[in-house]
Amino acid sequence: MHLLDLKKDYHVHCNYNDHSPQELSIEKVTRYAEKIDLNTLAFTEHVRKTSDWIPRYLEEIDRIVSSGTKMTIISGFEAKILKDGTVDFPTEYEGHFLIASFHTRYYNKEDWLSALKSAIALPYVNVIGHLAPEESFDLTDDELVELSQLLKLNYKTVEINAKYRRPPMEWLRIFKNNNVNFHLGSDAHNLTEVGNFNPIRNLIEYVNY
């Protein structure tokens, strides 16, 4: 397990979704990230199988990269985990950085856990985003250990998410004890959230120290 690096933000949105400010352009996010001295920035825009903006989005990121920057810029996506364990992602873009996250409540632990395990096994998923139980259930320690083993077996990273302050500390403890890999994601939907990990300082300190 590597130490968490506050200069790397692996979960940032821009204006290709329908709920971020229109002025949140890829260029503005990049320049702001440079200003606050990030060294790695991953654009992970919300995507669906039906999204028609993907070529424009990737071309815009490529233009920023080719224009010159000292940062590592990653072109990626965030896709919803579906009830059948697939993700809402157009598979022709496999190979791009992909976060799989829950964005729907199932109100059923077995359905939720089955979908998560299936998503973890997908080879083109890199990260499990803002992971936490629903309000109606939690996982046992044994279930979390099993989940840790599955994450490691499939080389998946668990995101420590600043927006939702996840995963819960108890989950983090078991994941850490079982050598799950972590990284940081602000889940930024505006400029001031990019690279801002202050809401999860306690989680970062627990992992790093």
Side-chain angles (χ1 to χ4, degrees), residues 34-99:
E34 290 173 333
K35 180 181 176 182
I36 63 172
D37 201 29
L38 292 185
N39 61 40
T40 302
L41 177 68
F43 286 99
T44 53
E45 194 56 288
H46 292 290
V47 71
R48 296 180 181 273
K49 291 176 181 176
T50 55
S51 297
D52 61 0
W53 45 261
I54 296 174
R56 300 194 309 275
Y57 166 74
L58 295 176
E59 287 168 8
E60 190 170 345
I61 294 174
D62 285 344
R63 282 199 303 273
I64 292 293
V65 171
S66 62
S67 69
T69 176
K70 294 179 181 179
M71 278 191 305
T72 297
I73 297 180
I74 299 167
S75 56
F77 304 94
E78 182 184 15
K80 180 168 82 169
I81 299 173
L82 302 174
K83 193 171 184 178
D84 64 359
T86 62
V87 294
D88 196 358
F89 176 70
T91 53
E92 62 265 34
Y93 293 100
E94 286 181 24
H96 288 276
F97 183 73
L98 179 61
I99 301 172

